[in-house]
Amino acid sequence: MGGGHNSLKHDPAIEKWYQMREDIYKGFRFTPYATRRVLLWGVAVPALTFYIVYDNANKWSFKGKTHGESLRR
């Protein structure tokens, strides 16, 4: 029922890509390009997101508002 074992055919290109992704850390170096990207995506974006959320945390209230009332506190 449903075929025997080893009925899945593996694509060599996908297997090669999987292997490359598993071993990516072996060839990584902090070049100026990589450092800028790490700082942007690992530090600046989370810090900016935190600032926006923290700044707007107590400015809005959705509790019990009706059609004509403002959402600002």
Side-chain angles (χ1 to χ4, degrees):
M1 248 166 86
H5 295 289
N6 299 325
S7 62
L8 179 66
K9 294 184 180 180
H10 295 280
D11 185 359
I14 293 176
E15 295 297 326
K16 184 178 177 182
W17 185 77
Y18 285 155
Q19 190 64 36
M20 183 270 306
R21 292 296 296 161
E22 288 180 9
D23 296 335
I24 195 75
Y25 69 94
K26 294 177 183 176
F28 179 77
R29 283 185 234 126
F30 269 109
T31 61
Y33 176 75
T35 304
R36 281 191 301 269
R37 292 183 64 119
V38 166
L39 290 176
L40 174 70
W41 295 109
V43 177
V45 170
L48 181 64
T49 304
F50 175 78
Y51 172 74
I52 291 170
V53 169
Y54 186 77
D55 188 46
N56 287 308
N58 292 320
K59 286 186 180 179
W60 309 101
S61 175
F62 291 94
K63 294 180 183 178
K65 298 297 179 177
T66 59
H67 181 63
E69 294 180 287
S70 174
L71 294 175
R72 289 191 68 85
R73 285 190 178 201

